Amino acid sequence: MVGKARAPLGIVLSLLLAACTHPVQSPTPRPTPSPSPTPSPTPISTPSPSPTPSPTPEPIAPDFDAGEIVGTSIDGLRVRGLPGADRPIVTGLLPLAFELEVILGPVPVDGLAWYLVSDADGREPDFDEGWVAAGYEPEPLLVAAGRRAEGSTAVASMAQIGDAEQGPIEIGEGDHAIRWIGLDPKRRRCAFAVSIAPAGGGDPVPAIRATIGTGIDRGTLQPQSFGALGLRGPVFVSVVSDCAWALTIVRVPPTATPEP
């Protein structure tokens, strides 16, 4: 009997292993998801505050007292009958450094500060008194001479737009008067009231009451009226007003009557 041939054992094992073995594949790594970026908040634009415009400073008039000597700082300044560039001319042109005595002021008219002055210079032209533009700092048309006029009758002077008070002012023996001028800067209507009170206490005594329209008003509290107030010695002068105004208290010589 012919027996079946047997395959060698090594071949059989090789075939079995070949039938059962599969190649091992490494798994494909999955990409790690990146975290989504957190959106930044959109900045809110805060508007910058608009700068507040600085108020235009009020022009400053040169400050002179009644009885003070001043001089012109330009050649050709005019003297007028009332404050204002269109008022009648009193005299010819004043030369440079012409000396004047201050009587009353300042009051603002036509963009200039004006003073009532009298002639205190021996040169031409000659005049009694009139209004001169003093201009404004830092380039005034009138400058202080550094002295008072000899024999000046001025006791005290005041000028303001609105209310004011001054004192104590010494009211001595003899006659006194108050010269004043007022105007409404808005050219509508304004009120001007002056009262005087003893410095030691006591009720204020009304002295002047005026209502000023669209023009310029001026006047004098005469010596008889001033004397009737019964005020001597140190006093306080109070002004209640919405006008631009100026006043001067003067001593009145026995034979003289102050001009309005």
Side-chain angles (χ1 to χ4, degrees):
M1 172 187 281
V2 177
K4 293 182 180 179
R6 294 182 179 181
L9 180 58
I11 297 173
V12 173
L13 290 172
S14 298
L15 291 174
L16 287 173
L17 291 172
C20 296
T21 303
H22 298 282
V24 178
Q25 296 181 352
S26 300
T28 303
R30 294 182 180 180
T32 301
S34 301
S36 300
T38 303
S40 300
T42 302
I44 299 174
S45 176
T46 303
S48 300
S50 300
T52 302
S54 300
T56 302
E58 292 292 330
I60 300 175
D63 185 18
F64 307 127
D65 292 327
E68 188 173 351
I69 296 294
V70 298
T72 58
S73 65
I74 64 170
D75 188 15
L77 204 57
R78 294 187 182 276
V79 182
R80 298 182 180 273
L82 282 174
D86 59 348
R87 296 295 183 171
I89 297 171
V90 171
T91 187
L93 303 178
L94 301 181
L96 177 65
F98 194 88
E99 292 195 340
L100 307 161
E101 179 185 349
V102 174
I103 299 174
L104 187 66
V107 291
V109 179
D110 296 337
L112 294 168
W114 296 77
Y115 278 92
L116 179 64
V117 298
S118 62
D119 187 354
D121 199 298
R123 296 174 291 170
E124 296 288 340
D126 294 325
F127 68 99
D128 290 329
E129 63 179 40
W131 290 87
V132 174
Y136 288 105
E137 300 290 357
E139 297 180 352
L141 304 178
L142 298 178
V143 294
R147 68 182 192 277
R148 287 181 59 83
E150 293 183 8
S152 172
T153 60
V155 175
S157 58
M158 302 170 62
Q160 183 71 28
I161 299 176
D163 300 346
E165 182 179 79
Q166 183 171 320
I169 299 169
E170 186 67 30
I171 305 298
E173 297 298 324
D175 290 333
H176 291 71
I178 299 179
R179 299 186 65 178
W180 63 271
I181 187 170
L183 60 95
D184 181 3
K186 298 180 180 179
R187 299 301 175 102
R188 296 175 184 172
R189 197 177 188 84
C190 65
F192 177 66
V194 180
S195 60
I196 306 175
D203 294 332
V205 179
I208 300 172
R209 293 288 185 274
T211 300
I212 300 169
T214 59
I216 296 174
D217 202 356
R218 55 182 178 162
T220 300
L221 179 67
Q222 296 292 344
Q224 299 88 336
S225 300
F226 198 101
L229 299 177
L231 296 169
R232 296 290 180 189
V235 301
F236 281 89
V237 177
S238 299
V239 178
V240 177
S241 178
D242 54 349
C243 303
W245 55 268
L247 67 81
T248 298
I249 301 175
V250 296
R251 292 187 304 272
V252 180
T255 59
T257 302
E259 295 292 332

